[in-house]
Amino acid sequence: MFLRKALQPRLSTRLWKSYSASSLDENVFKVDHLVIGAGVVGLAVARELSFRDNSSVMLVEKNSSFGLETSSRNSGVIHAGLYYNPDSLKTKLCIEGKEMLYEYCKAKQVGYKPTGKWVVANEKGSTGQEEYLVKLYEKSKTLGIPTELFTPDKVDPSDMEDTQVLKLLNTTLILNSPSTGIISQYDYMLSLLHDAQVNGTDYFKETEVVGVQKQNEGGYMVSLLQKDQEGKQDSEIRVHAQSVVNCGGLWSDKISNFLCDSDKTKNPTQIHYKFGKGRYYTYQHLLSDSVNLEQITKKLIYPVPDKNVTTLGIHLTLDLNGKIKFGPDIEWIDNNTDYSVVQGDNIDTFVEQIRRYFPFITRDHLTIDYSGIRPKLVGDGSPLSDFIIREESGNGFPGFVNLLGIESPGLTSSLAIAKYVKNILY
Ligand SMILES: Cc1cc2nc3c(=O)[nH]c(=O)nc-3n(C[C@H](O)[C@H](O)[C@H](O)COP(=O)(O)OP(=O)(O)OC[C@H]3O[C@@H](n4cnc5c(N)ncnc54)[C@H](O)[C@@H]3O)c2cc1C
C-alpha cells in the first residue's frame, strides 16, 4: 500500500485508475512497452511505439527533465551521413534519419537550418587529406548523399559569403555537403515528448530504473526508484513490461548489465563503455579583428578527421542565432558525469587545430562553454564502432531491446532509430 501511495501523487487520476485496473497485484503496474531514458532517442522511440493501437507505453527518466545529458550536450548538427562504413547502421540510419528529421522539423515548426558544411583539406601531399576528401566524395556519390568537390579558386566570386570565408580560410580542397544542417535540440525533444504524450505515453521524470528481471511467464519486472515531490526521498515501484527498450545513453551498458533471469544469473554479454569527453569553446570577436567571423560564416566548417574517425575533429558549428562554437575535443575519462569545464582546458590543442583552417584564431578568441560525453564501445586508436541496436533473444532475453554506443550521429538518426526499434518489436 505504501508503494501505491508513493506512486499515486505523480499520476493523474485517469492514469492512476488505468494502472490500478491493469496491475498484476496491488504493487505492480503493467505496461506493454517500457522505454528507459528520455534523451532524444528514448523520446523518439516512445513516440514511435505510441502510434501502435492497443499498446501502452511508459517512458521513464532519472533526471528532473528530459534531455539533460548527451542530447543537449552536442554540436546540434544534422549530419549528412558521410563518414561511416557504408554498410553500417550509422550510415543507414543517419541518411534515413536526416530526411525524416528535416520533414519532421518542417511539419512541427521545430527550429532548424540547412546551413550546409565544408570539409576542408589544408595540406597537400603525404598527409593524405586531399585523398581522403576524394574518397569521401566518391563514397557520397554511391550512397546518394549530395556533395561537391572543388578547389578554392572554383568558388563563385559573386557569392559574397563564400568569398569572404575563403579569405580567412586556409584550404587546398573543399568538400561541400549541402544537406548538412543544424537543429534546436530542445525544441525537437519537446515536440517528440508532446507527440508521445498526446498518443498516450506516460512519462515519469525523476524515476530511475535500478533493476530488470526476466519473468518466467514472459516480460520483465522492472524496479524503479521515484523521487517524491521535493526530489528528496525515493520510493520503490515495480512495473511489469512486456518489452523493455534500453535508451539509457551513457548508462545503457549498466542497464544492460542489470539483466538477469529469475535465477538472478547475470547477462553473459557484459559491455562497459569508455567515455570520451568533448569540450566546446565559443568564439569571441576581438576589436582588433578586421572582420567578425560570426557575421560572414553561415555554414559549418570541418577539418579532415583523423584516420579512425574517433571524432570528426574540432570543427566550427553554429546555433540558430548564428553564434559560433568550436569543438569538441576528446579526453578519455572514467566518470560519465564529469561535465566540468574550466577556461584554458586543452586550449592549446583547440588553437592549434583551428589554426590549421582559420590561421587568425588565437586563445583570446575562445571562451570555454560546455562539454558532452560520448559512450564509446571502443577506445582510442580503434576503428570506429557501429551502433548496436538489437533485441536480446539470442542471449535469452526476448523483448529486451538494447541500444548501445549511440554516439554521433545519434541525434540525426533518432527518428530512423525509433522506426528500426519498432520494426524489431513488430
Ligand atoms: C560532444 C558530442 C557531440 C555530438 N554531436 C552530434 C551532432 O552534432 N549530431 C548528431 O547527430 N549527434 C551528435 N552527438 C551524438 C548525440 O548527441 C547522441 O547520439 C544522442 O544525444 C544520444 O541520445 P540518447 O537518447 O541515446 O542518450 P542521452 O541523451 O544520454 O539520454 C539517455 C537518457 O537516459 C537516462 N537514463 C540513464 N539511465 C537511466 C535509468 N537507470 N533510469 C532512467 N533513466 C535513465 C539519462 O538520464 C538520459 O536522460 C554528439 C555527442 C557528443 C557527446
Side-chain angles (χ1 to χ4, degrees), residues 365-385:
H365 287 101
L366 303 177
T367 303
I368 194 73
D369 196 344
Y370 64 95
S371 72
I373 302 175
R374 310 163 179 92
K376 289 275 189 191
L377 289 163
V378 292
D380 202 7
S382 308
L384 191 66
S385 61

Side-chain angles (χ1 to χ4, degrees), residues 400-411:
F400 191 101
V401 182
N402 258 326
L403 286 81
L404 301 166
I406 310 297
E407 52 175 334
S408 191
L411 168 66

Side-chain angles (χ1 to χ4, degrees), residues 77-316:
V77 173
I78 302 175
H79 284 297
L82 292 170
Y83 296 98
Y84 325 101
N85 180 332
D87 302 323
S88 64
L89 273 182
K90 282 188 177 174
T91 294
K92 174 182 152 50
L93 298 176
C94 183
I95 293 173
E96 191 186 339
K98 171 185 65 176
E99 300 302 332
M100 294 170 81
L101 194 50
Y102 279 128
E103 285 304 312
Y104 184 86
C105 289
K106 270 182 231 159
K108 301 279 181 176
Q109 274 128 42
V110 170
Y112 78 102
K113 214 180 254 180
T115 52
K117 107 171 170 184
W118 281 358
V119 189
V120 296
N122 38 49
E123 285 171 23
K124 286 182 179 292
S126 60
T127 59
Q129 288 198 1
E130 293 195 345
E131 290 73 10
Y132 180 88
L133 282 194
V134 172
K135 280 192 191 143
L136 217 52
Y137 174 63
E138 299 297 339
K139 186 168 85 175
S140 69
K141 281 198 292 189
T142 61
L143 291 170
I145 303 169
T147 53
E148 298 154 315
L149 190 66
F150 48 85
T151 47
D153 56 306
K154 294 290 183 301
V155 167
D156 178 0
S158 67
D159 187 322
M160 287 301 287
E161 183 206 328
D162 286 357
T163 313
Q164 281 189 302
V165 172
L166 263 185
K167 281 188 190 149
L168 299 173
L169 203 57
N170 171 34
T171 181
T172 56
L173 191 64
I174 298 166
L175 182 82
N176 180 34
S177 165
S179 66
T180 300
I182 53 173
I183 183 171
S184 161
Q185 303 98 314
Y186 179 79
D187 287 359
Y188 172 47
M189 288 191 279
L190 189 62
S191 181
L192 291 174
L193 178 60
H194 174 78
D195 290 351
Q197 288 186 308
V198 165
N199 288 336
T201 295
D202 297 320
Y203 165 55
F204 299 105
K205 58 186 182 174
E206 298 195 314
T207 302
E208 179 173 359
V209 171
V210 291
V212 180
Q213 196 174 342
K214 183 178 148 191
Q215 300 299 286
N216 289 335
E217 71 275 16
Y220 295 86
M221 192 63 75
V222 182
S223 302
L224 305 171
L225 281 185
Q226 191 177 51
K227 290 212 165 58
D228 64 15
Q229 303 281 31
E230 285 82 44
K232 287 181 191 148
Q233 204 185 336
D234 289 332
S235 351
E236 191 171 343
I237 296 141
R238 288 190 304 150
V239 173
H240 180 272
Q242 282 304 329
S243 80
V244 177
V245 188
N246 173 11
C247 303
L250 293 167
W251 310 83
S252 55
D253 58 342
K254 292 191 180 61
I255 294 168
S256 169
N257 294 330
F258 285 154
L259 269 184
C260 53
D261 56 27
S262 49
D263 301 328
K264 305 227 168 180
T265 311
K266 282 286 173 198
N267 174 11
T269 61
Q270 299 272 327
I271 285 180
H272 298 284
Y273 289 142
K274 289 130 194 93
F275 299 113
K277 179 172 176 175
R279 302 177 191 82
Y280 291 87
Y281 277 86
T282 48
Y283 164 80
Q284 305 297 322
H285 171 60
L286 303 179
L287 286 176
S288 53
D289 290 337
S290 54
V291 284
N292 183 349
L293 191 58
E294 245 158 30
Q295 281 169 5
I296 59 171
T297 307
K298 305 285 178 259
K299 60 167 61 70
L300 315 183
I301 311 279
Y302 278 59
V304 170
D306 68 52
K307 194 165 106 285
N308 290 321
V309 203
T310 312
T311 74
L312 298 183
I314 293 176
H315 50 263
L316 176 156

Side-chain angles (χ1 to χ4, degrees), residues 37 41 61-63 71 74-75 77 209 280 406-407 410-412:
V41 174
E61 167 55 51
K62 67 177 169 55
N63 291 330
S71 295
N74 54 46
S75 299
V77 173
V209 171
Y280 291 87
I406 310 297
E407 52 175 334
L411 168 66
T412 310

Side-chain angles (χ1 to χ4, degrees), residues 51-70:
F51 289 128
R52 303 277 315 177
D53 286 340
N54 304 321
S55 60
S56 50
V57 182
M58 184 187 274
L59 171 64
V60 293
E61 167 55 51
K62 67 177 169 55
N63 291 330
S64 59
S65 183
F66 61 87
L68 293 181
E69 299 196 357
T70 313

